[in-house]
Amino acid sequence: MNDSLEVIRAAIQTHSEFVCVAHQDADADSLGSALAFGEYLEQLGKRVSVLAPDPLPRSLAYLPGYSRVNQEPGSLDAVVAAFDAGSPSRFGNLRPRLSSAPLTILFDHHASNDGFGDLGVVDRQAAATGIVVLGLLRRWGAEITPAMATNLYAAVFTDTGGFRHDNTTAAVLRAGAELADLGADPAFVALRSYKWRPATTLRLQALAAGAARYELEGRLIWTEVTQGMLAEAGAEMEETEGIIDLLQSLDTMLCAVLFKQDGPQVTKVSVRTRGGLGAHQLVAALGGGGHFRAAGAEVRAPLAEVEATLLESVRAAVAAEAAP
Ligand SMILES: [Mn+2]
């Protein structure tokens, strides 16, 4: 779904109140894009609230404007601008706001995007939703403040894994440079994104890495985070963020899978791939989605059941792939 930018701009001009919404388990791409776009709307004289589903990750507290998130619910007549999700199911406790809003505008880059929303810009080639938003703000001649630049830089930086994933193109690096010129501090964003872990997170990472299984000559690596491991580390579920990065650093891996026991009947899955395996295809049978290299799912079933189901199909897919 790609509506003309003029149609979207006209829709923005005719409304006075907006709610900018990040997705469940918000990341810097989703929340940074929502905060930057919210600031742009305020430049236009709009009333703006920025919302994120509970729980809002504390690790994003460095994003400018974080303290305003979820402070003002906004009116039910407000237009909803939604960021960085391919399906309305990704908005957790805020999902009813999307269906009741007079107008929903979606900004996204997921390969699995199902075209929800009344209006939207979905660029499946974009490395981040932050790139989509930056493109709009440029086209519309917005004044990009240092706070907006920092939010968009954090969006682009983290959705490229710190400019390391294969979506790190020359154009993405130029966008990073442009945002640095506009006031983003690359060293500060890098510090807070990848070098700023509480001890509980390190302990949890050690437990999860220690429990990792290596299969098919290391082409498949997977592990789990159980409620017991969280208790042992003194950690919250949001601290699982970096574990999939540990798994996917394995030299031999074609597929890395992390299973998270969110509750007795709720299991979350993260998948990363190399080579010809599409991560979003591997999680499709679980109702999940995402990108070619990174995808996830949330399943209403116990941990052991989800592990058994997904690992069976993943083993078959990995076994059919040539070694890297
Ligand atoms: Mn994203």
Side-chain angles (χ1 to χ4, degrees), residues 168-207:
T168 307
T169 60
V172 164
L173 291 168
R174 276 192 287 271
E178 177 186 346
L179 292 165
D181 273 338
L182 290 165
D185 179 344
F188 170 72
V189 174
L191 175 74
R192 297 300 295 258
S193 303
Y194 297 118
K195 300 184 282 187
W196 196 264
R197 267 161 257 200
T200 49
T201 302
L202 271 184
R203 276 189 220 117
L204 185 65
Q205 290 181 345
L207 290 174

mmCIF file of all heavy atoms in Angstrom, residues 168-207:
data_model
loop_
_atom_site.group_PDB
_atom_site.id
_atom_site.type_symbol
_atom_site.label_atom_id
_atom_site.label_comp_id
_atom_site.label_asym_id
_atom_site.label_seq_id
_atom_site.Cartn_x
_atom_site.Cartn_y
_atom_site.Cartn_z
ATOM 1 N N THR A 168 22.659 -2.320 5.055
ATOM 2 C CA THR A 168 23.486 -1.122 5.222
ATOM 3 C C THR A 168 24.058 -0.715 3.864
ATOM 4 O O THR A 168 25.161 -1.098 3.498
ATOM 5 C CB THR A 168 24.622 -1.375 6.233
ATOM 6 O OG1 THR A 168 24.054 -1.891 7.433
ATOM 7 C CG2 THR A 168 25.354 -0.081 6.554
ATOM 8 N N THR A 169 23.298 0.045 3.113
ATOM 9 C CA THR A 169 23.723 0.489 1.787
ATOM 10 C C THR A 169 24.431 1.835 1.883
ATOM 11 O O THR A 169 24.403 2.496 2.931
ATOM 12 C CB THR A 169 22.499 0.662 0.877
ATOM 13 O OG1 THR A 169 21.647 1.652 1.478
ATOM 14 C CG2 THR A 169 21.718 -0.644 0.738
ATOM 15 N N ALA A 170 25.011 2.245 0.766
ATOM 16 C CA ALA A 170 25.638 3.576 0.723
ATOM 17 C C ALA A 170 24.595 4.649 1.038
ATOM 18 O O ALA A 170 24.879 5.621 1.755
ATOM 19 C CB ALA A 170 26.268 3.810 -0.644
ATOM 20 N N ALA A 171 23.380 4.463 0.532
ATOM 21 C CA ALA A 171 22.337 5.469 0.779
ATOM 22 C C ALA A 171 21.994 5.547 2.271
ATOM 23 O O ALA A 171 21.733 6.631 2.808
ATOM 24 C CB ALA A 171 21.088 5.137 -0.034
ATOM 25 N N VAL A 172 22.000 4.382 2.947
ATOM 26 C CA VAL A 172 21.721 4.366 4.392
ATOM 27 C C VAL A 172 22.838 5.098 5.149
ATOM 28 O O VAL A 172 22.566 5.877 6.070
ATOM 29 C CB VAL A 172 21.564 2.908 4.876
ATOM 30 C CG1 VAL A 172 21.663 2.823 6.382
ATOM 31 C CG2 VAL A 172 20.232 2.337 4.397
ATOM 32 N N LEU A 173 24.078 4.852 4.745
ATOM 33 C CA LEU A 173 25.191 5.541 5.410
ATOM 34 C C LEU A 173 25.116 7.050 5.163
ATOM 35 O O LEU A 173 25.406 7.845 6.063
ATOM 36 C CB LEU A 173 26.529 4.985 4.915
ATOM 37 C CG LEU A 173 26.813 3.546 5.360
ATOM 38 C CD1 LEU A 173 27.992 2.970 4.598
ATOM 39 C CD2 LEU A 173 27.074 3.480 6.863
ATOM 40 N N ARG A 174 24.691 7.440 3.967
ATOM 41 C CA ARG A 174 24.525 8.876 3.691
ATOM 42 C C ARG A 174 23.423 9.477 4.560
ATOM 43 O O ARG A 174 23.538 10.606 5.037
ATOM 44 C CB ARG A 174 24.224 9.110 2.213
ATOM 45 C CG ARG A 174 25.493 9.164 1.349
ATOM 46 C CD ARG A 174 25.208 9.687 -0.049
ATOM 47 N NE ARG A 174 24.519 8.702 -0.838
ATOM 48 C CZ ARG A 174 25.107 7.770 -1.598
ATOM 49 N NH1 ARG A 174 26.427 7.728 -1.659
ATOM 50 N NH2 ARG A 174 24.404 6.903 -2.275
ATOM 51 N N ALA A 175 22.337 8.685 4.765
ATOM 52 C CA ALA A 175 21.263 9.164 5.648
ATOM 53 C C ALA A 175 21.804 9.355 7.060
ATOM 54 O O ALA A 175 21.488 10.339 7.736
ATOM 55 C CB ALA A 175 20.097 8.178 5.638
ATOM 56 N N GLY A 176 22.648 8.414 7.498
ATOM 57 C CA GLY A 176 23.273 8.543 8.821
ATOM 58 C C GLY A 176 24.122 9.800 8.907
ATOM 59 O O GLY A 176 24.062 10.545 9.895
ATOM 60 N N ALA A 177 24.898 10.052 7.859
ATOM 61 C CA ALA A 177 25.758 11.248 7.841
ATOM 62 C C ALA A 177 24.908 12.513 7.858
ATOM 63 O O ALA A 177 25.222 13.476 8.569
ATOM 64 C CB ALA A 177 26.666 11.213 6.612
ATOM 65 N N GLU A 178 23.829 12.490 7.087
ATOM 66 C CA GLU A 178 22.946 13.660 7.047
ATOM 67 C C GLU A 178 22.368 13.935 8.438
ATOM 68 O O GLU A 178 22.316 15.081 8.899
ATOM 69 C CB GLU A 178 21.809 13.399 6.047
ATOM 70 C CG GLU A 178 20.793 14.520 5.963
ATOM 71 C CD GLU A 178 19.602 14.174 5.062
ATOM 72 O OE1 GLU A 178 19.693 13.186 4.296
ATOM 73 O OE2 GLU A 178 18.588 14.886 5.148
ATOM 74 N N LEU A 179 21.957 12.855 9.128
ATOM 75 C CA LEU A 179 21.364 13.028 10.457
ATOM 76 C C LEU A 179 22.415 13.486 11.465
ATOM 77 O O LEU A 179 22.107 14.262 12.378
ATOM 78 C CB LEU A 179 20.682 11.725 10.891
ATOM 79 C CG LEU A 179 19.437 11.384 10.043
ATOM 80 C CD1 LEU A 179 19.004 9.942 10.253
ATOM 81 C CD2 LEU A 179 18.283 12.339 10.360
ATOM 82 N N ALA A 180 23.653 13.009 11.290
ATOM 83 C CA ALA A 180 24.735 13.501 12.159
ATOM 84 C C ALA A 180 24.961 14.990 11.916
ATOM 85 O O ALA A 180 25.144 15.767 12.857
ATOM 86 C CB ALA A 180 26.013 12.699 11.917
ATOM 87 N N ASP A 181 24.939 15.405 10.653
ATOM 88 C CA ASP A 181 25.060 16.834 10.338
ATOM 89 C C ASP A 181 23.950 17.652 10.993
ATOM 90 O O ASP A 181 24.146 18.809 11.358
ATOM 91 C CB ASP A 181 24.971 17.052 8.819
ATOM 92 C CG ASP A 181 26.324 16.922 8.135
ATOM 93 O OD1 ASP A 181 27.359 17.081 8.834
ATOM 94 O OD2 ASP A 181 26.349 16.653 6.926
ATOM 95 N N LEU A 182 22.776 17.032 11.133
ATOM 96 C CA LEU A 182 21.614 17.738 11.684
ATOM 97 C C LEU A 182 21.577 17.692 13.214
ATOM 98 O O LEU A 182 20.632 18.183 13.826
ATOM 99 C CB LEU A 182 20.317 17.153 11.115
ATOM 100 C CG LEU A 182 20.079 17.446 9.624
ATOM 101 C CD1 LEU A 182 18.998 16.535 9.059
ATOM 102 C CD2 LEU A 182 19.698 18.913 9.438
ATOM 103 N N GLY A 183 22.584 17.041 13.826
ATOM 104 C CA GLY A 183 22.665 17.110 15.283
ATOM 105 C C GLY A 183 22.638 15.784 16.018
ATOM 106 O O GLY A 183 22.735 15.769 17.247
ATOM 107 N N ALA A 184 22.498 14.661 15.301
ATOM 108 C CA ALA A 184 22.578 13.361 15.986
ATOM 109 C C ALA A 184 24.029 13.080 16.372
ATOM 110 O O ALA A 184 24.944 13.431 15.633
ATOM 111 C CB ALA A 184 22.054 12.255 15.068
ATOM 112 N N ASP A 185 24.234 12.453 17.515
ATOM 113 C CA ASP A 185 25.583 12.133 18.009
ATOM 114 C C ASP A 185 25.802 10.622 17.856
ATOM 115 O O ASP A 185 25.311 9.835 18.669
ATOM 116 C CB ASP A 185 25.695 12.561 19.474
ATOM 117 C CG ASP A 185 27.063 12.252 20.073
ATOM 118 O OD1 ASP A 185 27.816 11.448 19.479
ATOM 119 O OD2 ASP A 185 27.374 12.810 21.141
ATOM 120 N N PRO A 186 26.535 10.189 16.818
ATOM 121 C CA PRO A 186 26.689 8.742 16.561
ATOM 122 C C PRO A 186 27.268 7.974 17.744
ATOM 123 O O PRO A 186 26.810 6.864 18.044
ATOM 124 C CB PRO A 186 27.629 8.697 15.352
ATOM 125 C CG PRO A 186 27.377 9.979 14.645
ATOM 126 C CD PRO A 186 27.143 10.998 15.742
ATOM 127 N N ALA A 187 28.270 8.536 18.418
ATOM 128 C CA ALA A 187 28.894 7.810 19.530
ATOM 129 C C ALA A 187 27.905 7.624 20.684
ATOM 130 O O ALA A 187 27.848 6.561 21.310
ATOM 131 C CB ALA A 187 30.143 8.552 20.007
ATOM 132 N N PHE A 188 27.103 8.657 20.944
ATOM 133 C CA PHE A 188 26.118 8.565 22.032
ATOM 134 C C PHE A 188 25.063 7.519 21.711
ATOM 135 O O PHE A 188 24.715 6.681 22.562
ATOM 136 C CB PHE A 188 25.458 9.933 22.251
ATOM 137 C CG PHE A 188 24.274 9.890 23.178
ATOM 138 C CD1 PHE A 188 24.459 9.696 24.544
ATOM 139 C CD2 PHE A 188 22.987 10.034 22.686
ATOM 140 C CE1 PHE A 188 23.360 9.641 25.402
ATOM 141 C CE2 PHE A 188 21.881 9.976 23.534
ATOM 142 C CZ PHE A 188 22.072 9.774 24.891
ATOM 143 N N VAL A 189 24.556 7.522 20.483
ATOM 144 C CA VAL A 189 23.518 6.537 20.117
ATOM 145 C C VAL A 189 24.106 5.121 20.159
ATOM 146 O O VAL A 189 23.457 4.186 20.638
ATOM 147 C CB VAL A 189 22.912 6.863 18.730
ATOM 148 C CG1 VAL A 189 21.944 5.768 18.301
ATOM 149 C CG2 VAL A 189 22.200 8.213 18.768
ATOM 150 N N ALA A 190 25.346 4.962 19.691
ATOM 151 C CA ALA A 190 25.985 3.639 19.722
ATOM 152 C C ALA A 190 26.169 3.163 21.159
ATOM 153 O O ALA A 190 25.907 1.998 21.487
ATOM 154 C CB ALA A 190 27.333 3.686 19.000
ATOM 155 N N LEU A 191 26.611 4.082 22.026
ATOM 156 C CA LEU A 191 26.803 3.742 23.444
ATOM 157 C C LEU A 191 25.503 3.232 24.048
ATOM 158 O O LEU A 191 25.465 2.166 24.671
ATOM 159 C CB LEU A 191 27.284 4.990 24.205
ATOM 160 C CG LEU A 191 27.427 4.845 25.716
ATOM 161 C CD1 LEU A 191 28.663 4.023 26.052
ATOM 162 C CD2 LEU A 191 27.495 6.221 26.380
ATOM 163 N N ARG A 192 24.411 3.994 23.851
ATOM 164 C CA ARG A 192 23.163 3.637 24.506
ATOM 165 C C ARG A 192 22.461 2.456 23.832
ATOM 166 O O ARG A 192 21.603 1.803 24.436
ATOM 167 C CB ARG A 192 22.240 4.851 24.564
ATOM 168 C CG ARG A 192 22.828 5.984 25.402
ATOM 169 C CD ARG A 192 23.076 5.570 26.846
ATOM 170 N NE ARG A 192 21.856 5.262 27.543
ATOM 171 C CZ ARG A 192 21.235 6.056 28.404
ATOM 172 N NH1 ARG A 192 21.754 7.218 28.706
ATOM 173 N NH2 ARG A 192 20.121 5.669 28.978
ATOM 174 N N SER A 193 22.806 2.176 22.564
ATOM 175 C CA SER A 193 22.167 1.069 21.863
ATOM 176 C C SER A 193 22.830 -0.268 22.185
ATOM 177 O O SER A 193 22.148 -1.278 22.342
ATOM 178 C CB SER A 193 22.242 1.278 20.342
ATOM 179 O OG SER A 193 21.653 2.505 19.980
ATOM 180 N N TYR A 194 24.162 -0.278 22.232
ATOM 181 C CA TYR A 194 24.869 -1.573 22.287
ATOM 182 C C TYR A 194 25.887 -1.700 23.414
ATOM 183 O O TYR A 194 26.490 -2.756 23.569
ATOM 184 C CB TYR A 194 25.571 -1.829 20.946
ATOM 185 C CG TYR A 194 24.588 -1.949 19.808
ATOM 186 C CD1 TYR A 194 24.606 -1.049 18.751
ATOM 187 C CD2 TYR A 194 23.621 -2.950 19.803
ATOM 188 C CE1 TYR A 194 23.695 -1.150 17.712
ATOM 189 C CE2 TYR A 194 22.707 -3.057 18.774
ATOM 190 C CZ TYR A 194 22.747 -2.150 17.733
ATOM 191 O OH TYR A 194 21.835 -2.249 16.715
ATOM 192 N N LYS A 195 26.109 -0.635 24.189
ATOM 193 C CA LYS A 195 27.165 -0.714 25.203
ATOM 194 C C LYS A 195 26.679 -0.178 26.540
ATOM 195 O O LYS A 195 27.403 0.523 27.233
ATOM 196 C CB LYS A 195 28.404 0.085 24.716
ATOM 197 C CG LYS A 195 28.971 -0.448 23.411
ATOM 198 C CD LYS A 195 30.237 0.274 22.976
ATOM 199 C CE LYS A 195 29.942 1.612 22.356
ATOM 200 N NZ LYS A 195 31.153 2.247 21.783
ATOM 201 N N TRP A 196 25.446 -0.488 26.880
ATOM 202 C CA TRP A 196 24.846 0.146 28.072
ATOM 203 C C TRP A 196 23.877 -0.839 28.697
ATOM 204 O O TRP A 196 22.682 -0.627 28.717
ATOM 205 C CB TRP A 196 24.127 1.431 27.625
ATOM 206 C CG TRP A 196 23.777 2.381 28.729
ATOM 207 C CD1 TRP A 196 22.576 2.475 29.372
ATOM 208 C CD2 TRP A 196 24.615 3.382 29.294
ATOM 209 N NE1 TRP A 196 22.620 3.471 30.294
ATOM 210 C CE2 TRP A 196 23.848 4.043 30.279
ATOM 211 C CE3 TRP A 196 25.941 3.767 29.081
ATOM 212 C CZ2 TRP A 196 24.377 5.091 31.031
ATOM 213 C CZ3 TRP A 196 26.447 4.807 29.829
ATOM 214 C CH2 TRP A 196 25.672 5.459 30.790
ATOM 215 N N ARG A 197 24.417 -1.981 29.203
ATOM 216 C CA ARG A 197 23.572 -3.050 29.725
ATOM 217 C C ARG A 197 23.614 -3.092 31.240
ATOM 218 O O ARG A 197 24.712 -3.053 31.807
ATOM 219 C CB ARG A 197 24.150 -4.401 29.271
ATOM 220 C CG ARG A 197 23.579 -4.929 28.006
ATOM 221 C CD ARG A 197 24.537 -5.961 27.443
ATOM 222 N NE ARG A 197 25.244 -5.322 26.363
ATOM 223 C CZ ARG A 197 25.879 -5.950 25.402
ATOM 224 N NH1 ARG A 197 25.956 -7.250 25.407
ATOM 225 N NH2 ARG A 197 26.452 -5.291 24.447
ATOM 226 N N PRO A 198 22.477 -3.240 31.910
ATOM 227 C CA PRO A 198 22.534 -3.517 33.345
ATOM 228 C C PRO A 198 23.103 -4.917 33.583
ATOM 229 O O PRO A 198 23.069 -5.779 32.696
ATOM 230 C CB PRO A 198 21.082 -3.425 33.811
ATOM 231 C CG PRO A 198 20.243 -3.436 32.594
ATOM 232 C CD PRO A 198 21.106 -3.105 31.412
ATOM 233 N N ALA A 199 23.616 -5.135 34.785
ATOM 234 C CA ALA A 199 24.225 -6.432 35.124
ATOM 235 C C ALA A 199 23.228 -7.578 34.949
ATOM 236 O O ALA A 199 23.605 -8.689 34.553
ATOM 237 C CB ALA A 199 24.751 -6.387 36.561
ATOM 238 N N THR A 200 21.952 -7.305 35.222
ATOM 239 C CA THR A 200 20.947 -8.361 35.070
ATOM 240 C C THR A 200 20.868 -8.840 33.619
ATOM 241 O O THR A 200 20.652 -10.024 33.354
ATOM 242 C CB THR A 200 19.568 -7.832 35.507
ATOM 243 O OG1 THR A 200 19.331 -6.565 34.870
ATOM 244 C CG2 THR A 200 19.503 -7.652 37.012
ATOM 245 N N THR A 201 21.075 -7.920 32.674
ATOM 246 C CA THR A 201 21.026 -8.283 31.259
ATOM 247 C C THR A 201 22.219 -9.170 30.899
ATOM 248 O O THR A 201 22.076 -10.184 30.203
ATOM 249 C CB THR A 201 21.027 -7.022 30.376
ATOM 250 O OG1 THR A 201 19.912 -6.215 30.744
ATOM 251 C CG2 THR A 201 20.923 -7.374 28.903
ATOM 252 N N LEU A 202 23.405 -8.792 31.390
ATOM 253 C CA LEU A 202 24.595 -9.618 31.139
ATOM 254 C C LEU A 202 24.409 -11.017 31.696
ATOM 255 O O LEU A 202 24.732 -12.011 31.038
ATOM 256 C CB LEU A 202 25.823 -8.983 31.796
ATOM 257 C CG LEU A 202 26.617 -7.985 30.978
ATOM 258 C CD1 LEU A 202 27.846 -7.537 31.759
ATOM 259 C CD2 LEU A 202 27.052 -8.584 29.650
ATOM 260 N N ARG A 203 23.858 -11.098 32.918
ATOM 261 C CA ARG A 203 23.632 -12.420 33.521
ATOM 262 C C ARG A 203 22.665 -13.237 32.687
ATOM 263 O O ARG A 203 22.857 -14.438 32.473
ATOM 264 C CB ARG A 203 23.071 -12.259 34.941
ATOM 265 C CG ARG A 203 24.121 -12.038 35.979
ATOM 266 C CD ARG A 203 23.495 -12.115 37.392
ATOM 267 N NE ARG A 203 24.084 -11.081 38.213
ATOM 268 C CZ ARG A 203 23.423 -10.061 38.750
ATOM 269 N NH1 ARG A 203 22.114 -9.947 38.591
ATOM 270 N NH2 ARG A 203 24.051 -9.172 39.456
ATOM 271 N N LEU A 204 21.606 -12.599 32.221
ATOM 272 C CA LEU A 204 20.615 -13.309 31.407
ATOM 273 C C LEU A 204 21.233 -13.771 30.088
ATOM 274 O O LEU A 204 20.983 -14.895 29.629
ATOM 275 C CB LEU A 204 19.406 -12.405 31.140
ATOM 276 C CG LEU A 204 18.258 -13.074 30.395
ATOM 277 C CD1 LEU A 204 17.636 -14.188 31.249
ATOM 278 C CD2 LEU A 204 17.191 -12.048 30.002
ATOM 279 N N GLN A 205 22.064 -12.922 29.486
ATOM 280 C CA GLN A 205 22.726 -13.310 28.237
ATOM 281 C C GLN A 205 23.630 -14.514 28.449
ATOM 282 O O GLN A 205 23.688 -15.418 27.606
ATOM 283 C CB GLN A 205 23.522 -12.122 27.673
ATOM 284 C CG GLN A 205 22.608 -11.015 27.141
ATOM 285 C CD GLN A 205 23.352 -9.835 26.563
ATOM 286 O OE1 GLN A 205 24.550 -9.674 26.780
ATOM 287 N NE2 GLN A 205 22.637 -8.993 25.841
ATOM 288 N N ALA A 206 24.320 -14.533 29.594
ATOM 289 C CA ALA A 206 25.194 -15.676 29.892
ATOM 290 C C ALA A 206 24.374 -16.956 30.030
ATOM 291 O O ALA A 206 24.756 -18.011 29.502
ATOM 292 C CB ALA A 206 25.990 -15.407 31.169
ATOM 293 N N LEU A 207 23.239 -16.862 30.727
ATOM 294 C CA LEU A 207 22.388 -18.053 30.894
ATOM 295 C C LEU A 207 21.870 -18.537 29.539
ATOM 296 O O LEU A 207 21.892 -19.740 29.243
ATOM 297 C CB LEU A 207 21.201 -17.723 31.809
ATOM 298 C CG LEU A 207 21.514 -17.496 33.287
ATOM 299 C CD1 LEU A 207 20.254 -17.040 34.023
ATOM 300 C CD2 LEU A 207 22.082 -18.766 33.919
#
